[in-house]
mmCIF file of all heavy atoms in Angstrom:
data_model
loop_
_atom_site.group_PDB
_atom_site.id
_atom_site.type_symbol
_atom_site.label_atom_id
_atom_site.label_comp_id
_atom_site.label_asym_id
_atom_site.label_seq_id
_atom_site.Cartn_x
_atom_site.Cartn_y
_atom_site.Cartn_z
ATOM 1 N N TYR A 328 14.678 15.323 8.355
ATOM 2 C CA TYR A 328 15.229 14.856 7.105
ATOM 3 C C TYR A 328 14.249 14.984 5.917
ATOM 4 O O TYR A 328 14.257 14.286 4.963
ATOM 5 C CB TYR A 328 15.618 13.366 7.180
ATOM 6 C CG TYR A 328 16.923 13.141 8.040
ATOM 7 C CD1 TYR A 328 16.748 12.847 9.428
ATOM 8 C CD2 TYR A 328 18.146 13.387 7.503
ATOM 9 C CE1 TYR A 328 17.890 12.647 10.168
ATOM 10 C CE2 TYR A 328 19.280 13.201 8.336
ATOM 11 C CZ TYR A 328 19.107 12.837 9.640
ATOM 12 O OH TYR A 328 20.255 12.667 10.440
ATOM 13 N N GLU A 329 13.344 15.966 6.122
ATOM 14 C CA GLU A 329 12.364 16.345 4.992
ATOM 15 C C GLU A 329 11.544 15.083 4.553
ATOM 16 O O GLU A 329 11.336 14.901 3.384
ATOM 17 C CB GLU A 329 13.092 16.950 3.823
ATOM 18 C CG GLU A 329 13.644 18.324 4.092
ATOM 19 C CD GLU A 329 12.476 19.387 4.370
ATOM 20 O OE1 GLU A 329 11.485 19.306 3.637
ATOM 21 O OE2 GLU A 329 12.661 20.174 5.297
ATOM 22 N N TYR A 330 11.108 14.326 5.568
ATOM 23 C CA TYR A 330 10.253 13.163 5.343
ATOM 24 C C TYR A 330 10.875 11.986 4.644
ATOM 25 O O TYR A 330 10.177 10.998 4.348
ATOM 26 C CB TYR A 330 8.917 13.522 4.614
ATOM 27 C CG TYR A 330 8.036 14.471 5.419
ATOM 28 C CD1 TYR A 330 8.250 15.821 5.442
ATOM 29 C CD2 TYR A 330 7.058 13.905 6.202
ATOM 30 C CE1 TYR A 330 7.445 16.686 6.219
ATOM 31 C CE2 TYR A 330 6.211 14.748 7.014
ATOM 32 C CZ TYR A 330 6.428 16.112 6.972
ATOM 33 O OH TYR A 330 5.646 16.983 7.722
ATOM 34 N N CYS A 331 12.138 12.016 4.428
ATOM 35 C CA CYS A 331 12.828 10.873 3.799
ATOM 36 C C CYS A 331 14.277 10.787 4.342
ATOM 37 O O CYS A 331 15.190 11.463 3.852
ATOM 38 C CB CYS A 331 12.891 10.993 2.273
ATOM 39 S SG CYS A 331 13.614 9.531 1.471
ATOM 40 N N ALA A 332 14.398 9.892 5.399
ATOM 41 C CA ALA A 332 15.707 9.811 6.017
ATOM 42 C C ALA A 332 16.688 8.793 5.369
ATOM 43 O O ALA A 332 17.870 8.815 5.527
ATOM 44 C CB ALA A 332 15.573 9.376 7.490
ATOM 45 N N TYR A 333 16.016 7.839 4.574
ATOM 46 C CA TYR A 333 16.795 6.814 3.804
ATOM 47 C C TYR A 333 15.802 6.160 2.884
ATOM 48 O O TYR A 333 14.535 6.310 2.991
ATOM 49 C CB TYR A 333 17.327 5.778 4.775
ATOM 50 C CG TYR A 333 16.357 5.184 5.686
ATOM 51 C CD1 TYR A 333 15.565 4.072 5.307
ATOM 52 C CD2 TYR A 333 16.139 5.726 6.977
ATOM 53 C CE1 TYR A 333 14.570 3.528 6.145
ATOM 54 C CE2 TYR A 333 15.234 5.135 7.810
ATOM 55 C CZ TYR A 333 14.426 4.047 7.459
ATOM 56 O OH TYR A 333 13.489 3.566 8.247
ATOM 57 N N LEU A 334 16.333 5.412 1.918
ATOM 58 C CA LEU A 334 15.533 4.611 1.014
ATOM 59 C C LEU A 334 15.969 3.182 1.095
ATOM 60 O O LEU A 334 17.092 2.868 0.883
ATOM 61 C CB LEU A 334 15.625 5.104 -0.364
ATOM 62 C CG LEU A 334 15.007 6.495 -0.694
ATOM 63 C CD1 LEU A 334 15.620 7.121 -1.951
ATOM 64 C CD2 LEU A 334 13.564 6.325 -0.873
ATOM 65 N N ARG A 335 15.019 2.263 1.383
ATOM 66 C CA ARG A 335 15.382 0.831 1.464
ATOM 67 C C ARG A 335 14.847 0.122 0.205
ATOM 68 O O ARG A 335 13.609 0.122 0.024
ATOM 69 C CB ARG A 335 14.878 0.199 2.728
ATOM 70 C CG ARG A 335 15.398 -1.249 2.876
ATOM 71 C CD ARG A 335 15.008 -1.840 4.137
ATOM 72 N NE ARG A 335 15.420 -3.234 4.160
ATOM 73 C CZ ARG A 335 14.950 -4.152 4.976
ATOM 74 N NH1 ARG A 335 14.051 -3.853 5.890
ATOM 75 N NH2 ARG A 335 15.411 -5.437 4.924
ATOM 76 N N LEU A 336 15.694 -0.511 -0.562
ATOM 77 C CA LEU A 336 15.321 -1.231 -1.682
ATOM 78 C C LEU A 336 14.759 -2.626 -1.332
ATOM 79 O O LEU A 336 15.460 -3.392 -0.648
ATOM 80 C CB LEU A 336 16.457 -1.378 -2.661
ATOM 81 C CG LEU A 336 16.201 -2.134 -3.980
ATOM 82 C CD1 LEU A 336 15.167 -1.350 -4.877
ATOM 83 C CD2 LEU A 336 17.502 -2.388 -4.721
ATOM 84 N N LEU A 337 13.539 -2.953 -1.776
ATOM 85 C CA LEU A 337 12.962 -4.284 -1.477
ATOM 86 C C LEU A 337 13.235 -5.245 -2.648
ATOM 87 O O LEU A 337 13.440 -6.428 -2.446
ATOM 88 C CB LEU A 337 11.419 -4.184 -1.263
ATOM 89 C CG LEU A 337 11.021 -3.508 0.045
ATOM 90 C CD1 LEU A 337 9.494 -3.476 0.042
ATOM 91 C CD2 LEU A 337 11.585 -4.188 1.247
ATOM 92 N N GLY A 338 13.197 -4.699 -3.948
ATOM 93 C CA GLY A 338 13.443 -5.569 -5.057
ATOM 94 C C GLY A 338 13.432 -4.789 -6.324
ATOM 95 O O GLY A 338 13.010 -3.676 -6.371
ATOM 96 N N PHE A 339 13.902 -5.454 -7.423
ATOM 97 C CA PHE A 339 13.898 -4.820 -8.743
ATOM 98 C C PHE A 339 13.875 -5.896 -9.872
ATOM 99 O O PHE A 339 14.155 -7.086 -9.568
ATOM 100 C CB PHE A 339 15.081 -3.902 -8.959
ATOM 101 C CG PHE A 339 16.409 -4.550 -8.861
ATOM 102 C CD1 PHE A 339 17.069 -4.975 -9.998
ATOM 103 C CD2 PHE A 339 17.072 -4.788 -7.677
ATOM 104 C CE1 PHE A 339 18.304 -5.578 -10.048
ATOM 105 C CE2 PHE A 339 18.317 -5.418 -7.613
ATOM 106 C CZ PHE A 339 18.949 -5.831 -8.822
ATOM 107 N N TYR A 340 13.522 -5.438 -11.019
ATOM 108 C CA TYR A 340 13.382 -6.244 -12.198
ATOM 109 C C TYR A 340 14.804 -6.492 -12.706
ATOM 110 O O TYR A 340 15.576 -5.536 -12.789
ATOM 111 C CB TYR A 340 12.534 -5.634 -13.256
ATOM 112 C CG TYR A 340 12.455 -6.274 -14.540
ATOM 113 C CD1 TYR A 340 12.319 -7.637 -14.708
ATOM 114 C CD2 TYR A 340 12.538 -5.497 -15.756
ATOM 115 C CE1 TYR A 340 12.220 -8.240 -16.020
ATOM 116 C CE2 TYR A 340 12.418 -6.034 -17.022
ATOM 117 C CZ TYR A 340 12.237 -7.420 -17.167
ATOM 118 O OH TYR A 340 12.216 -8.042 -18.343
ATOM 119 N N LYS A 341 15.127 -7.787 -13.008
ATOM 120 C CA LYS A 341 16.523 -8.082 -13.380
ATOM 121 C C LYS A 341 17.032 -7.212 -14.581
ATOM 122 O O LYS A 341 18.224 -6.877 -14.579
ATOM 123 C CB LYS A 341 16.623 -9.581 -13.769
ATOM 124 C CG LYS A 341 18.046 -10.039 -13.947
ATOM 125 C CD LYS A 341 18.090 -11.540 -14.119
ATOM 126 C CE LYS A 341 19.500 -11.989 -14.282
ATOM 127 N NZ LYS A 341 19.638 -13.464 -14.610
ATOM 128 N N GLU A 342 16.161 -6.892 -15.509
ATOM 129 C CA GLU A 342 16.619 -6.102 -16.691
ATOM 130 C C GLU A 342 16.660 -4.641 -16.397
ATOM 131 O O GLU A 342 16.934 -3.834 -17.328
ATOM 132 C CB GLU A 342 15.683 -6.417 -17.863
ATOM 133 C CG GLU A 342 15.593 -7.970 -18.185
ATOM 134 C CD GLU A 342 16.914 -8.492 -18.593
ATOM 135 O OE1 GLU A 342 17.688 -7.818 -19.270
ATOM 136 O OE2 GLU A 342 17.203 -9.665 -18.194
ATOM 137 N N ALA A 343 16.380 -4.195 -15.165
ATOM 138 C CA ALA A 343 16.334 -2.808 -14.867
ATOM 139 C C ALA A 343 17.709 -2.303 -14.249
ATOM 140 O O ALA A 343 17.696 -1.314 -13.561
ATOM 141 C CB ALA A 343 15.172 -2.508 -13.931
ATOM 142 N N SER A 344 18.767 -2.988 -14.504
ATOM 143 C CA SER A 344 20.036 -2.638 -13.909
ATOM 144 C C SER A 344 20.479 -1.206 -14.281
ATOM 145 O O SER A 344 21.062 -0.527 -13.519
ATOM 146 C CB SER A 344 21.126 -3.624 -14.324
ATOM 147 O OG SER A 344 21.243 -3.887 -15.659
ATOM 148 N N PRO A 345 20.184 -0.715 -15.534
ATOM 149 C CA PRO A 345 20.481 0.734 -15.892
ATOM 150 C C PRO A 345 19.801 1.674 -14.894
ATOM 151 O O PRO A 345 20.410 2.705 -14.495
ATOM 152 C CB PRO A 345 20.024 0.886 -17.328
ATOM 153 C CG PRO A 345 20.063 -0.477 -17.886
ATOM 154 C CD PRO A 345 19.674 -1.411 -16.717
ATOM 155 N N LEU A 346 18.576 1.334 -14.584
ATOM 156 C CA LEU A 346 17.853 2.213 -13.620
ATOM 157 C C LEU A 346 18.471 2.229 -12.269
ATOM 158 O O LEU A 346 18.655 3.253 -11.682
ATOM 159 C CB LEU A 346 16.419 1.737 -13.465
ATOM 160 C CG LEU A 346 15.554 2.356 -12.411
ATOM 161 C CD1 LEU A 346 15.247 3.820 -12.766
ATOM 162 C CD2 LEU A 346 14.225 1.658 -12.151
ATOM 163 N N MET A 347 18.900 1.026 -11.811
ATOM 164 C CA MET A 347 19.514 0.913 -10.454
ATOM 165 C C MET A 347 20.863 1.721 -10.464
ATOM 166 O O MET A 347 21.243 2.323 -9.484
ATOM 167 C CB MET A 347 19.722 -0.528 -10.064
ATOM 168 C CG MET A 347 18.418 -1.358 -10.026
ATOM 169 S SD MET A 347 16.993 -0.556 -9.259
ATOM 170 C CE MET A 347 17.646 -0.379 -7.580
ATOM 171 N N ASN A 348 21.570 1.635 -11.528
ATOM 172 C CA ASN A 348 22.873 2.366 -11.598
ATOM 173 C C ASN A 348 22.640 3.839 -11.567
ATOM 174 O O ASN A 348 23.409 4.584 -10.911
ATOM 175 C CB ASN A 348 23.647 1.971 -12.844
ATOM 176 C CG ASN A 348 24.099 0.548 -12.806
ATOM 177 O OD1 ASN A 348 24.401 0.016 -11.761
ATOM 178 N ND2 ASN A 348 24.245 -0.067 -13.985
ATOM 179 N N MET A 349 21.566 4.274 -12.216
ATOM 180 C CA MET A 349 21.318 5.673 -12.236
ATOM 181 C C MET A 349 20.846 6.186 -10.835
ATOM 182 O O MET A 349 21.263 7.367 -10.423
ATOM 183 C CB MET A 349 20.220 6.025 -13.260
ATOM 184 C CG MET A 349 19.854 7.494 -13.359
ATOM 185 S SD MET A 349 18.628 7.864 -14.706
ATOM 186 C CE MET A 349 19.723 7.594 -16.128
ATOM 187 N N ILE A 350 20.047 5.399 -10.186
ATOM 188 C CA ILE A 350 19.612 5.773 -8.838
ATOM 189 C C ILE A 350 20.810 5.900 -7.861
ATOM 190 O O ILE A 350 20.783 6.818 -7.032
ATOM 191 C CB ILE A 350 18.635 4.664 -8.284
ATOM 192 C CG1 ILE A 350 17.308 4.814 -9.012
ATOM 193 C CG2 ILE A 350 18.436 4.800 -6.805
ATOM 194 C CD1 ILE A 350 16.304 3.690 -8.696
ATOM 195 N N LYS A 351 21.822 5.056 -7.989
ATOM 196 C CA LYS A 351 22.954 5.108 -7.132
ATOM 197 C C LYS A 351 23.620 6.478 -7.209
ATOM 198 O O LYS A 351 24.157 6.933 -6.242
ATOM 199 C CB LYS A 351 23.948 3.964 -7.464
ATOM 200 C CG LYS A 351 23.493 2.619 -7.097
ATOM 201 C CD LYS A 351 24.492 1.542 -7.528
ATOM 202 C CE LYS A 351 24.018 0.156 -7.194
ATOM 203 N NZ LYS A 351 24.989 -0.856 -7.643
ATOM 204 N N THR A 352 23.624 7.001 -8.400
ATOM 205 C CA THR A 352 24.403 8.296 -8.588
ATOM 206 C C THR A 352 23.440 9.518 -8.393
ATOM 207 O O THR A 352 23.950 10.600 -8.080
ATOM 208 C CB THR A 352 24.979 8.397 -9.972
ATOM 209 O OG1 THR A 352 23.949 8.244 -10.966
ATOM 210 C CG2 THR A 352 25.999 7.207 -10.196
ATOM 211 N N SER A 353 22.148 9.330 -8.534
ATOM 212 C CA SER A 353 21.239 10.498 -8.457
ATOM 213 C C SER A 353 20.559 10.692 -7.093
ATOM 214 O O SER A 353 20.080 11.840 -6.830
ATOM 215 C CB SER A 353 20.203 10.375 -9.517
ATOM 216 O OG SER A 353 19.394 9.258 -9.304
ATOM 217 N N SER A 354 20.506 9.658 -6.308
ATOM 218 C CA SER A 354 19.731 9.738 -5.057
ATOM 219 C C SER A 354 20.230 10.832 -4.138
ATOM 220 O O SER A 354 21.497 10.979 -3.938
ATOM 221 C CB SER A 354 19.757 8.388 -4.332
ATOM 222 O OG SER A 354 19.067 8.470 -3.143
ATOM 223 N N LYS A 355 19.268 11.516 -3.499
ATOM 224 C CA LYS A 355 19.629 12.623 -2.568
ATOM 225 C C LYS A 355 19.740 12.130 -1.115
ATOM 226 O O LYS A 355 20.018 12.918 -0.226
ATOM 227 C CB LYS A 355 18.613 13.692 -2.649
ATOM 228 C CG LYS A 355 18.405 14.245 -4.044
ATOM 229 C CD LYS A 355 17.121 15.208 -4.057
ATOM 230 C CE LYS A 355 16.777 15.561 -5.512
ATOM 231 N NZ LYS A 355 15.536 16.403 -5.568
#
Side-chain angles (χ1 to χ4, degrees):
Y328 289 98
E329 290 295 317
Y330 291 87
C331 185
Y333 54 85
L334 289 160
R335 186 179 177 194
L336 179 66
L337 293 179
F339 63 94
Y340 175 43
K341 188 175 181 180
E342 303 301 319
S344 53
L346 172 69
M347 303 313 300
N348 290 333
M349 182 174 290
I350 287 173
K351 288 179 183 177
T352 59
S353 65
S354 177
K355 304 170 189 175

